[in-house]
Amino acid sequence: MFLTLKKYLSLYAALFRTSFIADLEYRVNFITRIATDIFWYLAQIMTFEVLFRHTPKIGDWNLEQMRVFLGVVFVVDGLYMIILSENLDQFSEKVRKGDLDLLLAKPINSQFMISLQKASTAMIGNLIIASSWFIYSIIQLSNFEWLRLFWLLLLIPCGLVALYAMRFFMASTAVIFARSENLQFIWYQIYRLGMRPDSIYVPWFKWMLLTALPVGVIASVPARALLEPPDFALFAWVVVLSGILIYLTNKFWKFALKFYSSASS
């Protein structure tokens, strides 16, 4: 088990280095990607800043707490963009062009390769900006317990797993269906639900976002760990859910490959 983990970590480190070298060939791309995300960050921030001019609270949180939530959203999104986004966004293209044939032929787990083959190292600058906003939002809180930040070491990886699993389920349908663009559109609408605090939804829908469509795990749960008394039952569920989601993605990937016919056939 340890040797297998070490092998995959070494492989990912090599893939990350290769991606970084490739991205350095297009240095302007670093700037354009940072600029694009800055506009997205500003749009999210201004939306809530305007709303809080008309109400003291949205859901359970005031403006300072909502800024922390947005900071968590930005950090998780930045990590997702670096590690996973380019691979899953290009999933359909890899299937159509036959790149999946090459990945399946390699002596390595095909789900690992198709999910982590390319890192978007140009997005590191965006993560730095996102982290800066997050730190700023934390400083604005009065009487913040800094030890709560340790919860993020557990809950942000779980949020990334939930984000990966939902995106992977949708993306891998490209193996089954020739055209799955409509399903990708559905994914983006579901993802937008996770970009809002779960407390704004009615109880039954909030439950859905923490179970069947677990986008609520992406940012709402880590933010709650920082802003509210610890809910150990919720945190335990999030950890268990992460394991379940990884297991289900692997099962679904093996199921989807049964429908795959080589691009060369």
Side-chain angles (χ1 to χ4, degrees), residues 154-155 158 161 217 233-245:
L154 173 68
L155 297 176
C158 291
V161 168
V217 174
L234 176 61
F235 299 165
W237 162 245
V238 168
V239 173
V240 172
L241 178 65
S242 299
I244 293 173
L245 289 174

Side-chain angles (χ1 to χ4, degrees), residues 5 9 39 69 71 149 158 167 171 175 196 217 232:
L5 179 61
L9 288 175
F39 282 109
F69 169 78
L149 290 174
C158 291
R167 185 69 180 100
V175 179
R196 300 292 180 262
V217 174
F232 297 110

Side-chain angles (χ1 to χ4, degrees), residues 62-237:
N62 58 29
L63 177 58
E64 288 73 22
Q65 292 170 317
M66 193 63 69
R67 287 171 178 165
V68 173
F69 169 78
L70 286 176
V72 176
V73 169
F74 297 159
V75 169
V76 175
D77 182 76
L79 290 170
Y80 168 76
M81 295 296 289
I82 293 171
I83 301 170
L84 297 163
S85 176
E86 187 163 341
N87 300 291
L88 300 181
D89 289 347
Q90 299 298 319
F91 206 112
S92 296
E93 285 297 308
K94 290 179 180 178
V95 174
R96 283 198 289 267
K97 292 181 178 180
D99 293 344
L100 181 56
D101 293 355
L102 298 175
L103 295 180
L104 293 175
K106 293 182 182 297
I108 202 74
N109 184 282
S110 58
Q111 182 181 348
F112 173 90
M113 285 300 296
I114 202 164
S115 300
L116 299 170
Q117 183 182 26
K118 178 73 169 67
S120 298
T121 59
M123 305 302 292
I124 292 176
N126 304 65
L127 180 61
I128 293 172
I129 294 172
S131 300
S132 299
W133 171 264
F134 174 70
I135 294 170
Y136 164 78
S137 66
I138 288 291
I139 293 174
Q140 300 306 304
L141 293 176
S142 58
N143 302 318
F144 178 70
E145 300 175 19
W146 291 93
L147 288 177
R148 287 173 176 255
L149 290 174
F150 284 103
W151 281 115
L152 299 185
L153 298 177
L154 173 68
L155 297 176
I156 282 185
C158 291
L160 277 173
V161 168
L163 179 51
Y164 164 72
M166 293 295 295
R167 185 69 180 100
F168 184 81
F169 282 134
M170 293 294 181
S172 57
T173 58
V175 179
I176 302 175
F177 307 108
R179 309 289 293 186
S180 61
E181 284 77 7
N182 289 335
L183 289 174
Q184 311 313 317
F185 176 78
I186 293 173
W187 149 249
Y188 288 113
Q189 303 313 306
I190 295 174
Y191 181 52
R192 289 175 64 182
L193 297 174
M195 298 299 99
R196 300 292 180 262
D198 59 5
S199 60
I200 69 174
Y201 302 114
V202 295
W204 70 266
F205 195 62
K206 176 181 175 180
W207 179 84
M208 286 283 292
L209 297 181
L210 294 174
T211 53
L213 299 173
V215 289
V217 174
I218 296 171
S220 291
V221 175
R224 287 188 178 281
L226 299 175
L227 301 171
E228 300 175 359
D231 185 342
F232 297 110
L234 176 61
F235 299 165
W237 162 245

